[in-house]
Amino acid sequence: MKKNYAILICGLLIMYSLPTWAQKSYFEKQVKYLTSEKLYGRGYTHQGMENASQHIAKELKRMGVKPVQEKFFQRHNFPINVIHSASLEINGQRLKYGKDFIVKPSSKSIRYTAGIQNYIFDTNAYIASFQSKEETIMFIREDEEKQKGKHIIMPPLQTSVDSIKNYYKQWANTYEINDNTNRAIFRFVSDSLTSSLSQRQADVTEFIIKGHYYRNDLSITNFHVDATFNPQFEFNNIIGLIEGKHKDSILVVSAHYDHLGSVNDIYFPGASDNASGTAMALDLARYYSKNKPNYSIVFMFFGAEEAGIVGALKYVEQPLFPLEKIKFLVNLDIMGAGEDGIQVVNGSKYSKQFDQLVKINQDKKYLKQVKVRGESCNSDHCPFDHKGVPSFFIYTLGGKGNYHNIYDTYENLDLSYAPKVKGLLIDFINQL
């Protein structure tokens, strides 16, 4: 028994003697929890998004942040196609979801049926068909005839023409009007597997597969997709308030907390996108709960951003206070890097505030650079911007570049720049 006490005491001494840099910050702890298996990618299976919203609300309550209404939650619903499970076997080899293949998010349920032939899409003829309008029409007619009733195999496309590449990615959509009973599309790609979400369910199922699995003797030996279309999926926006010295205007700090969820036993952690932005917003709320801001700050955490900026769009249509009261909005999305500085969407539109941000960074030497960017409807700032609310979307630059894949993990982030990013944001917010 004495030996056990001795081990315990030694362990505690080691833990408390760790240097400050070795101890995880609040920001890091939040990123780690939000990307954990407990939340299943903060998506549409296993109550992932719901549980993430409950966690955020508990954190705000613990800090002493007040709900704008009686509760922190603003409940909404929208349509979503949920891919529950998927499998694929090529030439007898079972492929791994997220690593070897993914399923197009609009895909419907399907099961392998023996005896269906394959139609190999002719990529050389496809590229050549763009030489003239007549050749393009001829190719479309021949393709329409050859593919009927067959699985469609779309080999990797080798071309340097971006417009042809983009058209090829969308070509599978043309098959949706056909009879797709028991048949599927198998599209092989040379680029990375980038997953997404869909608010509709299509009449065709498409597998997107790593290009090196394509071969001349290709045989699709088994597959399935289990998908459910939910016309009214419910989710929460979480809205909290910290009262400032001046209450005539309000500042908003926003971030989306959702991600892509899970398929099978594989989940998309969404560490950089956007557990990091959520964690940074929570960390700022924690700071201002202890340091009264000049202006009241509303912290908004939006759901369903990955499905089309749904949470923010719903909010601006049903705001909890007049949008005209918002002095400025700072949206945080992708806070998981920083070695190359930050980028500011709407920086050129609101040059006065951008110049303030640049000056703070130069004076305090926080980050390598503050880069300017024009308007772009690519995150939760957009619906507010369209309603006339002055806003920035700020994201960090650098990192490994994992986006919407299974490798956007806590372990793959370099969070050493987070304190500098936080310091810059605090100084900027204090000057607004």
Side-chain angles (χ1 to χ4, degrees):
M1 197 69 172
K2 289 180 180 179
K3 186 178 180 181
N4 290 340
Y5 276 126
I7 292 170
L8 176 62
I9 290 167
C10 287
L12 289 170
L13 286 171
I14 290 169
M15 183 177 72
Y16 286 111
S17 64
L18 283 172
T20 304
W21 57 263
Q23 299 174 22
K24 283 187 174 62
S25 67
Y26 177 81
F27 171 79
E28 291 174 304
K29 288 175 182 176
Q30 290 304 310
V31 174
K32 189 170 186 179
Y33 181 78
L34 290 165
T35 56
S36 68
E37 192 174 357
K38 293 177 182 178
L39 298 183
Y40 291 94
R42 309 183 303 282
Y44 302 84
T45 60
H46 307 285
Q47 295 288 302
M49 201 189 311
E50 178 69 25
N51 290 338
S53 71
Q54 296 288 344
H55 169 74
I56 293 165
K58 285 178 183 177
E59 286 296 301
L60 293 175
K61 184 177 181 180
R62 190 170 61 83
M63 296 171 194
V65 177
K66 299 178 181 178
V68 172
Q69 292 184 318
E70 290 183 7
K71 296 181 180 180
F72 285 105
F73 299 128
Q74 186 189 44
R75 197 76 167 166
H76 296 291
N77 67 73
F78 77 111
I80 190 73
N81 190 47
V82 182
I83 309 295
H84 298 281
S85 64
S87 65
L88 177 61
E89 189 177 281
I90 293 180
N91 292 81
Q93 180 181 354
R94 189 177 179 87
L95 275 57
K96 185 176 180 180
Y97 199 91
K99 179 177 180 290
D100 304 316
F101 82 101
I102 56 175
V103 171
K104 190 172 181 179
S106 59
S107 295
K108 65 175 184 177
S109 294
I110 195 170
R111 290 286 185 277
Y112 172 79
T113 303
I116 298 178
Q117 294 181 320
N118 293 337
Y119 159 61
I120 311 295
F121 189 94
D122 190 339
T123 55
N124 292 327
Y126 166 77
I127 294 170
S129 72
F130 288 95
Q131 299 300 316
S132 70
K133 183 178 178 180
E134 290 74 20
E135 289 181 67
T136 303
I137 293 171
M138 183 62 69
F139 177 83
I140 292 171
R141 286 176 178 170
E142 290 180 357
D143 177 70
E144 177 67 22
E145 276 302 311
K146 291 176 181 178
Q147 53 83 14
K148 285 182 179 177
K150 301 175 183 177
H151 292 311
I152 298 161
I153 311 296
M154 302 185 75
L157 186 69
Q158 305 297 329
T159 178
S160 59
V161 183
D162 287 339
S163 59
I164 293 178
K165 283 182 183 177
N166 291 331
Y167 193 26
Y168 186 63
K169 288 179 182 179
Q170 302 303 319
W171 191 276
N173 295 340
T174 65
Y175 300 121
E176 191 171 345
I177 61 173
N178 301 321
D179 180 11
N180 295 304
T181 306
N182 296 326
R183 76 164 189 166
I185 299 165
F186 303 89
R187 180 161 61 89
F188 293 81
V189 296
S190 301
D191 47 4
S192 62
L193 297 176
T194 303
S195 193
S196 58
L197 299 166
S198 176
Q199 292 190 43
R200 72 181 190 101
Q201 186 173 97
D203 193 39
V204 65
T205 301
E206 182 178 346
F207 292 83
I208 303 166
I209 311 156
K210 280 285 189 180
H212 63 263
Y213 286 103
Y214 183 78
R215 46 199 281 188
N216 291 330
D217 64 340
L218 180 71
S219 176
I220 308 295
T221 46
N222 208 344
F223 64 83
H224 96 280
V225 171
D226 179 17
T228 302
F229 179 72
N230 187 341
Q232 292 186 317
F233 180 87
E234 293 190 344
F235 72 97
N236 296 315
N237 288 336
I238 308 107
I239 318 293
L241 168 70
I242 295 177
E243 292 183 345
K245 299 169 187 174
H246 307 290
K247 300 175 184 178
D248 54 325
S249 295
I250 289 173
L251 300 176
V252 172
V253 174
S254 67
H256 77 86
Y257 67 91
D258 67 301
H259 199 52
L260 303 175
S262 64
V263 177
N264 302 334
D265 58 346
I266 303 299
Y267 73 100
F268 293 80
S272 184
D273 182 18
N274 188 35
S276 63
T278 302
M280 185 62 74
L282 281 171
D283 206 3
L284 290 173
R286 184 168 173 263
Y287 173 84
Y288 283 110
S289 68
K290 299 174 182 177
N291 300 273
K292 195 177 185 71
N294 293 324
Y295 288 91
S296 294
I297 303 178
V298 173
F299 289 87
M300 299 185 179
F301 299 86
F302 297 116
E305 188 269 356
E306 301 291 7
I309 319 181
V310 178
L313 283 166
K314 295 281 188 181
Y315 181 85
V316 298
E317 294 304 322
Q318 300 176 44
L320 302 183
F321 55 88
L323 296 177
E324 294 77 18
K325 286 196 70 175
I326 301 177
K327 181 181 176 69
F328 207 85
L329 178 144
V330 178
N331 181 54
L332 307 175
D333 195 344
I334 305 178
M335 293 277 110
E339 59 263 42
D340 293 327
I342 58 171
Q343 186 103 41
V344 183
V345 175
N346 275 1
S348 59
K349 183 174 183 177
Y350 299 103
S351 57
K352 178 186 174 183
Q353 289 86 351
F354 179 77
D355 290 343
Q356 282 180 309
L357 188 59
V358 171
K359 187 176 187 307
I360 293 166
N361 188 61
Q362 289 174 343
D363 291 346
K364 296 287 188 74
K365 296 180 171 55
Y366 280 120
L367 299 169
K368 180 179 178 180
Q369 61 180 334
V370 176
K371 291 185 70 176
V372 67
R373 185 172 171 181
E375 295 180 55
S376 183
C377 193
N378 54 353
S379 191
D380 293 303
H381 69 290
C382 180
F384 291 87
D385 186 48
H386 287 175
K387 293 286 187 178
V389 175
S391 55
F392 278 169
F393 160 29
I394 299 175
Y395 59 93
T396 55
L397 299 170
K400 295 184 177 181
N402 292 312
Y403 177 73
H404 281 211
N405 60 36
I406 60 173
Y407 306 107
D408 184 11
T409 63
Y410 170 80
E411 291 76 16
N412 277 334
L413 298 184
D414 177 2
L415 301 179
S416 62
Y417 292 87
K420 295 179 180 180
V421 174
K422 178 184 171 183
L424 176 58
L425 290 171
I426 289 170
D427 286 351
F428 176 62
I429 291 168
N430 290 344
Q431 284 194 20
L432 286 171

Short mmCIF file of all heavy atoms in Angstrom, two decimals, residues 335 338-351 353-359 361-362 366-376 378 391-398 421 424 428:
data_model
loop_
_atom_site.label_atom_id
_atom_site.label_comp_id
_atom_site.label_asym_id
_atom_site.label_seq_id
_atom_site.Cartn_x
_atom_site.Cartn_y
_atom_site.Cartn_z
N MET A 335 -8.58 27.90 -37.58
CA MET A 335 -7.62 28.54 -36.68
C MET A 335 -6.51 27.57 -36.28
O MET A 335 -5.85 27.74 -35.26
CB MET A 335 -8.34 29.03 -35.42
CG MET A 335 -9.31 30.16 -35.65
SD MET A 335 -8.50 31.79 -35.70
CE MET A 335 -8.69 32.20 -37.42
N GLY A 338 -1.00 29.05 -38.65
CA GLY A 338 -0.55 30.41 -38.33
C GLY A 338 0.88 30.69 -38.68
O GLY A 338 1.32 31.84 -38.62
N GLU A 339 1.65 29.67 -39.07
CA GLU A 339 3.06 29.92 -39.38
C GLU A 339 3.25 30.87 -40.55
O GLU A 339 4.27 31.55 -40.65
CB GLU A 339 3.81 28.60 -39.64
CG GLU A 339 3.27 27.77 -40.79
CD GLU A 339 2.33 26.68 -40.32
OE1 GLU A 339 1.49 26.97 -39.44
OE2 GLU A 339 2.42 25.56 -40.84
N ASP A 340 2.23 30.95 -41.41
CA ASP A 340 2.28 31.89 -42.53
C ASP A 340 1.35 33.08 -42.33
O ASP A 340 1.04 33.80 -43.27
CB ASP A 340 1.95 31.18 -43.85
CG ASP A 340 3.00 30.16 -44.24
OD1 ASP A 340 4.18 30.40 -43.94
OD2 ASP A 340 2.65 29.11 -44.81
N GLY A 341 0.91 33.28 -41.10
CA GLY A 341 0.05 34.42 -40.80
C GLY A 341 -1.42 34.11 -40.91
O GLY A 341 -1.86 32.97 -40.75
N ILE A 342 -2.20 35.16 -41.21
CA ILE A 342 -3.66 35.01 -41.36
C ILE A 342 -4.12 35.69 -42.65
O ILE A 342 -3.45 36.56 -43.19
CB ILE A 342 -4.44 35.61 -40.17
CG1 ILE A 342 -4.10 37.10 -39.99
CG2 ILE A 342 -4.19 34.82 -38.90
CD1 ILE A 342 -4.99 37.81 -38.98
N GLN A 343 -5.27 35.26 -43.12
CA GLN A 343 -5.92 35.86 -44.29
C GLN A 343 -7.24 36.47 -43.82
O GLN A 343 -7.94 35.89 -42.97
CB GLN A 343 -6.20 34.80 -45.35
CG GLN A 343 -6.75 35.35 -46.65
CD GLN A 343 -5.72 35.42 -47.73
OE1 GLN A 343 -4.91 34.52 -47.90
NE2 GLN A 343 -5.72 36.50 -48.50
N VAL A 344 -7.58 37.64 -44.38
CA VAL A 344 -8.78 38.34 -43.95
C VAL A 344 -9.71 38.56 -45.15
O VAL A 344 -9.46 39.41 -46.01
CB VAL A 344 -8.44 39.70 -43.30
CG1 VAL A 344 -9.71 40.39 -42.80
CG2 VAL A 344 -7.44 39.52 -42.18
N VAL A 345 -10.76 37.75 -45.21
CA VAL A 345 -11.80 37.94 -46.23
C VAL A 345 -12.60 39.19 -45.87
O VAL A 345 -12.90 39.43 -44.69
CB VAL A 345 -12.72 36.71 -46.29
CG1 VAL A 345 -13.88 36.95 -47.25
CG2 VAL A 345 -11.94 35.48 -46.73
N ASN A 346 -12.91 40.00 -46.85
CA ASN A 346 -13.55 41.32 -46.69
C ASN A 346 -12.57 42.39 -46.24
O ASN A 346 -12.97 43.51 -45.92
CB ASN A 346 -14.74 41.28 -45.72
CG ASN A 346 -16.04 40.85 -46.38
OD1 ASN A 346 -16.06 40.57 -47.58
ND2 ASN A 346 -17.10 40.78 -45.62
N GLY A 347 -11.28 42.05 -46.22
CA GLY A 347 -10.26 43.01 -45.81
C GLY A 347 -10.21 44.23 -46.70
O GLY A 347 -10.04 45.36 -46.23
N SER A 348 -10.38 44.01 -48.00
CA SER A 348 -10.37 45.14 -48.94
C SER A 348 -11.68 45.94 -48.89
O SER A 348 -11.71 47.12 -49.23
CB SER A 348 -10.12 44.64 -50.36
OG SER A 348 -11.12 43.71 -50.76
N LYS A 349 -12.76 45.29 -48.45
CA LYS A 349 -14.06 45.95 -48.36
C LYS A 349 -14.11 46.89 -47.15
O LYS A 349 -14.66 47.98 -47.23
CB LYS A 349 -15.17 44.91 -48.27
CG LYS A 349 -16.57 45.50 -48.26
CD LYS A 349 -17.62 44.40 -48.32
CE LYS A 349 -19.03 44.99 -48.38
NZ LYS A 349 -20.07 43.94 -48.51
N TYR A 350 -13.52 46.45 -46.04
CA TYR A 350 -13.48 47.27 -44.82
C TYR A 350 -12.01 47.60 -44.52
O TYR A 350 -11.40 47.04 -43.61
CB TYR A 350 -14.14 46.51 -43.66
CG TYR A 350 -15.59 46.20 -43.94
CD1 TYR A 350 -15.99 44.92 -44.31
CD2 TYR A 350 -16.56 47.20 -43.87
CE1 TYR A 350 -17.32 44.64 -44.59
CE2 TYR A 350 -17.89 46.93 -44.16
CZ TYR A 350 -18.27 45.64 -44.52
OH TYR A 350 -19.59 45.37 -44.82
N SER A 351 -11.50 48.50 -45.34
CA SER A 351 -10.06 48.82 -45.31
C SER A 351 -9.63 49.48 -44.00
O SER A 351 -8.51 49.28 -43.54
CB SER A 351 -9.69 49.71 -46.50
OG SER A 351 -10.47 50.89 -46.51
N GLN A 353 -10.78 48.95 -40.91
CA GLN A 353 -10.59 47.92 -39.88
C GLN A 353 -9.41 47.01 -40.24
O GLN A 353 -8.68 46.57 -39.35
CB GLN A 353 -11.87 47.09 -39.72
CG GLN A 353 -13.01 47.84 -39.07
CD GLN A 353 -13.85 48.65 -40.06
OE1 GLN A 353 -13.48 48.80 -41.23
NE2 GLN A 353 -14.97 49.18 -39.59
N PHE A 354 -9.24 46.78 -41.53
CA PHE A 354 -8.11 45.94 -41.95
C PHE A 354 -6.78 46.62 -41.62
O PHE A 354 -5.85 45.98 -41.13
CB PHE A 354 -8.19 45.64 -43.45
CG PHE A 354 -7.03 44.81 -43.94
CD1 PHE A 354 -6.98 43.44 -43.69
CD2 PHE A 354 -5.98 45.40 -44.63
CE1 PHE A 354 -5.90 42.67 -44.13
CE2 PHE A 354 -4.90 44.65 -45.07
CZ PHE A 354 -4.86 43.28 -44.81
N ASP A 355 -6.71 47.91 -41.89
CA ASP A 355 -5.48 48.65 -41.59
C ASP A 355 -5.19 48.64 -40.08
O ASP A 355 -4.03 48.57 -39.67
CB ASP A 355 -5.60 50.10 -42.08
CG ASP A 355 -5.57 50.19 -43.61
OD1 ASP A 355 -5.15 49.21 -44.26
OD2 ASP A 355 -5.99 51.24 -44.15
N GLN A 356 -6.25 48.70 -39.28
CA GLN A 356 -6.08 48.61 -37.82
C GLN A 356 -5.45 47.26 -37.44
O GLN A 356 -4.52 47.20 -36.63
CB GLN A 356 -7.44 48.72 -37.12
CG GLN A 356 -7.99 50.13 -37.01
CD GLN A 356 -9.33 50.13 -36.30
OE1 GLN A 356 -10.25 49.39 -36.64
NE2 GLN A 356 -9.46 50.96 -35.27
N LEU A 357 -5.96 46.21 -38.05
CA LEU A 357 -5.47 44.86 -37.76
C LEU A 357 -4.01 44.71 -38.16
O LEU A 357 -3.20 44.14 -37.42
CB LEU A 357 -6.34 43.84 -38.50
CG LEU A 357 -6.13 42.36 -38.20
CD1 LEU A 357 -6.34 42.05 -36.73
CD2 LEU A 357 -7.05 41.50 -39.07
N VAL A 358 -3.67 45.24 -39.33
CA VAL A 358 -2.29 45.18 -39.82
C VAL A 358 -1.35 45.94 -38.88
O VAL A 358 -0.27 45.45 -38.55
CB VAL A 358 -2.19 45.74 -41.25
CG1 VAL A 358 -0.73 45.90 -41.67
CG2 VAL A 358 -2.92 44.83 -42.24
N LYS A 359 -1.79 47.12 -38.46
CA LYS A 359 -0.94 47.94 -37.58
C LYS A 359 -0.69 47.25 -36.24
O LYS A 359 0.43 47.25 -35.71
CB LYS A 359 -1.58 49.31 -37.35
CG LYS A 359 -0.67 50.28 -36.58
CD LYS A 359 -1.30 51.65 -36.45
CE LYS A 359 -0.33 52.65 -35.84
NZ LYS A 359 0.26 52.20 -34.55
N ASN A 361 -0.68 44.09 -35.67
CA ASN A 361 0.24 42.97 -35.91
C ASN A 361 1.68 43.45 -36.09
O ASN A 361 2.61 42.83 -35.57
CB ASN A 361 -0.21 42.18 -37.15
CG ASN A 361 0.60 40.91 -37.33
OD1 ASN A 361 0.60 40.03 -36.49
ND2 ASN A 361 1.32 40.84 -38.45
N GLN A 362 1.84 44.57 -36.79
CA GLN A 362 3.19 45.12 -36.98
C GLN A 362 3.78 45.62 -35.68
O GLN A 362 4.96 45.38 -35.38
CB GLN A 362 3.14 46.24 -38.02
CG GLN A 362 2.89 45.77 -39.44
CD GLN A 362 2.70 46.91 -40.42
OE1 GLN A 362 2.45 48.06 -40.02
NE2 GLN A 362 2.81 46.63 -41.71
N TYR A 366 3.05 39.93 -33.84
CA TYR A 366 2.37 38.67 -33.53
C TYR A 366 2.67 37.59 -34.58
O TYR A 366 3.15 36.50 -34.25
CB TYR A 366 0.86 38.88 -33.46
CG TYR A 366 0.36 39.47 -32.18
CD1 TYR A 366 -0.32 40.69 -32.17
CD2 TYR A 366 0.53 38.81 -30.96
CE1 TYR A 366 -0.82 41.22 -31.00
CE2 TYR A 366 0.05 39.34 -29.78
CZ TYR A 366 -0.62 40.55 -29.80
OH TYR A 366 -1.11 41.09 -28.63
N LEU A 367 2.37 37.92 -35.84
CA LEU A 367 2.43 36.91 -36.90
C LEU A 367 3.23 37.41 -38.10
O LEU A 367 3.48 38.61 -38.25
CB LEU A 367 1.00 36.56 -37.36
CG LEU A 367 0.06 35.97 -36.29
CD1 LEU A 367 -1.36 35.94 -36.81
CD2 LEU A 367 0.51 34.58 -35.87
N LYS A 368 3.58 36.47 -38.95
CA LYS A 368 4.39 36.76 -40.13
C LYS A 368 3.74 37.80 -41.03
O LYS A 368 4.40 38.70 -41.56
CB LYS A 368 4.63 35.46 -40.91
CG LYS A 368 5.47 35.60 -42.16
CD LYS A 368 5.64 34.24 -42.82
CE LYS A 368 6.44 34.35 -44.12
NZ LYS A 368 6.59 33.03 -44.77
N GLN A 369 2.43 37.68 -41.24
CA GLN A 369 1.73 38.62 -42.13
C GLN A 369 0.23 38.57 -41.88
O GLN A 369 -0.31 37.60 -41.34
CB GLN A 369 2.00 38.27 -43.60
CG GLN A 369 1.52 36.88 -44.00
CD GLN A 369 1.79 36.54 -45.44
OE1 GLN A 369 1.90 37.42 -46.29
NE2 GLN A 369 1.90 35.26 -45.73
N VAL A 370 -0.43 39.65 -42.29
CA VAL A 370 -1.89 39.72 -42.34
C VAL A 370 -2.26 40.01 -43.78
O VAL A 370 -2.08 41.12 -44.27
CB VAL A 370 -2.44 40.82 -41.40
CG1 VAL A 370 -3.96 40.93 -41.54
CG2 VAL A 370 -2.07 40.53 -39.95
N LYS A 371 -2.75 38.99 -44.48
CA LYS A 371 -3.02 39.11 -45.92
C LYS A 371 -4.45 39.56 -46.16
O LYS A 371 -5.38 39.14 -45.48
CB LYS A 371 -2.77 37.78 -46.63
CG LYS A 371 -1.31 37.37 -46.68
CD LYS A 371 -1.11 36.11 -47.51
CE LYS A 371 -1.35 36.37 -48.99
NZ LYS A 371 -1.05 35.15 -49.80
N VAL A 372 -4.60 40.38 -47.16
CA VAL A 372 -5.92 40.90 -47.51
C VAL A 372 -6.56 40.05 -48.59
O VAL A 372 -5.89 39.50 -49.47
CB VAL A 372 -5.83 42.37 -47.97
CG1 VAL A 372 -5.07 42.48 -49.29
CG2 VAL A 372 -7.21 43.01 -48.07
N ARG A 373 -7.87 39.93 -48.51
CA ARG A 373 -8.66 39.24 -49.53
C ARG A 373 -9.97 39.98 -49.69
O ARG A 373 -10.46 40.62 -48.76
CB ARG A 373 -8.89 37.78 -49.12
CG ARG A 373 -9.61 36.94 -50.18
CD ARG A 373 -9.63 35.48 -49.80
NE ARG A 373 -10.49 34.72 -50.70
CZ ARG A 373 -10.71 33.41 -50.61
NH1 ARG A 373 -10.12 32.72 -49.65
NH2 ARG A 373 -11.52 32.80 -51.45
N GLY A 374 -10.56 39.88 -50.87
CA GLY A 374 -11.82 40.56 -51.13
C GLY A 374 -13.01 39.78 -50.61
O GLY A 374 -12.87 38.90 -49.76
N GLU A 375 -14.18 40.08 -51.14
CA GLU A 375 -15.40 39.41 -50.70
C GLU A 375 -15.43 37.97 -51.19
O GLU A 375 -15.00 37.66 -52.30
CB GLU A 375 -16.62 40.15 -51.25
CG GLU A 375 -16.78 41.56 -50.71
CD GLU A 375 -17.99 42.27 -51.29
OE1 GLU A 375 -19.10 41.70 -51.17
OE2 GLU A 375 -17.83 43.37 -51.85
N SER A 376 -15.95 37.08 -50.35
CA SER A 376 -16.10 35.68 -50.72
C SER A 376 -17.15 35.05 -49.81
O SER A 376 -17.05 35.15 -48.59
CB SER A 376 -14.77 34.92 -50.59
OG SER A 376 -14.92 33.59 -51.02
N ASN A 378 -17.83 32.23 -48.39
CA ASN A 378 -17.29 30.91 -48.10
C ASN A 378 -17.31 30.53 -46.62
O ASN A 378 -16.68 29.55 -46.23
CB ASN A 378 -15.86 30.79 -48.64
CG ASN A 378 -14.96 31.91 -48.15
OD1 ASN A 378 -15.41 32.85 -47.51
ND2 ASN A 378 -13.69 31.84 -48.48
N SER A 391 -18.19 42.92 -41.59
CA SER A 391 -17.69 41.64 -41.09
C SER A 391 -16.38 41.23 -41.74
O SER A 391 -16.11 41.56 -42.90
CB SER A 391 -18.74 40.54 -41.32
OG SER A 391 -19.11 40.49 -42.69
N PHE A 392 -15.59 40.51 -40.98
CA PHE A 392 -14.38 39.84 -41.45
C PHE A 392 -14.55 38.34 -41.28
O PHE A 392 -15.17 37.88 -40.31
CB PHE A 392 -13.14 40.25 -40.63
CG PHE A 392 -12.52 41.56 -41.03
CD1 PHE A 392 -11.56 42.13 -40.21
CD2 PHE A 392 -12.86 42.21 -42.20
CE1 PHE A 392 -10.96 43.34 -40.55
CE2 PHE A 392 -12.28 43.42 -42.54
CZ PHE A 392 -11.32 43.99 -41.72
N PHE A 393 -13.98 37.59 -42.20
CA PHE A 393 -13.76 36.16 -42.02
C PHE A 393 -12.25 35.98 -41.96
O PHE A 393 -11.55 36.24 -42.93
CB PHE A 393 -14.40 35.36 -43.15
CG PHE A 393 -13.87 33.96 -43.33
CD1 PHE A 393 -13.34 33.23 -42.27
CD2 PHE A 393 -13.91 33.36 -44.58
CE1 PHE A 393 -12.86 31.94 -42.45
CE2 PHE A 393 -13.43 32.07 -44.77
CZ PHE A 393 -12.89 31.37 -43.70
N ILE A 394 -11.76 35.55 -40.80
CA ILE A 394 -10.31 35.41 -40.60
C ILE A 394 -9.95 33.94 -40.48
O ILE A 394 -10.58 33.19 -39.73
CB ILE A 394 -9.87 36.15 -39.31
CG1 ILE A 394 -10.18 37.65 -39.44
CG2 ILE A 394 -8.38 35.94 -39.04
CD1 ILE A 394 -9.90 38.45 -38.18
N TYR A 395 -8.95 33.51 -41.26
CA TYR A 395 -8.45 32.14 -41.14
C TYR A 395 -6.93 32.14 -41.17
O TYR A 395 -6.30 33.04 -41.72
CB TYR A 395 -9.02 31.22 -42.22
CG TYR A 395 -8.75 31.62 -43.66
CD1 TYR A 395 -7.65 31.11 -44.35
CD2 TYR A 395 -9.63 32.45 -44.34
CE1 TYR A 395 -7.43 31.44 -45.68
CE2 TYR A 395 -9.41 32.79 -45.67
CZ TYR A 395 -8.31 32.28 -46.33
OH TYR A 395 -8.09 32.62 -47.65
N THR A 396 -6.34 31.13 -40.54
CA THR A 396 -4.89 31.04 -40.45
C THR A 396 -4.31 30.41 -41.71
O THR A 396 -4.97 29.63 -42.41
CB THR A 396 -4.46 30.22 -39.23
OG1 THR A 396 -5.10 28.93 -39.26
CG2 THR A 396 -4.82 30.93 -37.94
N LEU A 397 -3.05 30.74 -41.98
CA LEU A 397 -2.35 30.23 -43.17
C LEU A 397 -1.24 29.28 -42.74
O LEU A 397 -0.58 29.50 -41.72
CB LEU A 397 -1.76 31.40 -43.97
CG LEU A 397 -2.77 32.41 -44.51
CD1 LEU A 397 -2.05 33.63 -45.06
CD2 LEU A 397 -3.65 31.77 -45.58
N GLY A 398 -1.03 28.25 -43.55
CA GLY A 398 0.00 27.26 -43.25
C GLY A 398 -0.63 25.91 -42.94
O GLY A 398 -1.77 25.64 -43.32
N VAL A 421 -2.24 34.31 -32.30
CA VAL A 421 -3.49 34.62 -33.00
C VAL A 421 -4.51 35.18 -32.02
O VAL A 421 -5.18 36.18 -32.30
CB VAL A 421 -4.05 33.37 -33.71
CG1 VAL A 421 -5.42 33.66 -34.32
CG2 VAL A 421 -3.09 32.88 -34.79
N LEU A 424 -3.64 38.77 -31.03
CA LEU A 424 -3.97 39.70 -32.12
C LEU A 424 -5.47 39.96 -32.17
O LEU A 424 -5.91 41.10 -32.34
CB LEU A 424 -3.46 39.13 -33.44
CG LEU A 424 -3.79 39.93 -34.71
CD1 LEU A 424 -3.26 41.34 -34.64
CD2 LEU A 424 -3.23 39.20 -35.95
N PHE A 428 -7.40 43.52 -31.52
CA PHE A 428 -8.25 44.05 -32.60
C PHE A 428 -9.66 44.32 -32.10
O PHE A 428 -10.24 45.39 -32.34
CB PHE A 428 -8.27 43.08 -33.77
CG PHE A 428 -9.18 43.47 -34.90
CD1 PHE A 428 -8.97 44.63 -35.60
CD2 PHE A 428 -10.27 42.67 -35.24
CE1 PHE A 428 -9.82 45.02 -36.64
CE2 PHE A 428 -11.12 43.03 -36.27
CZ PHE A 428 -10.89 44.21 -36.97
#
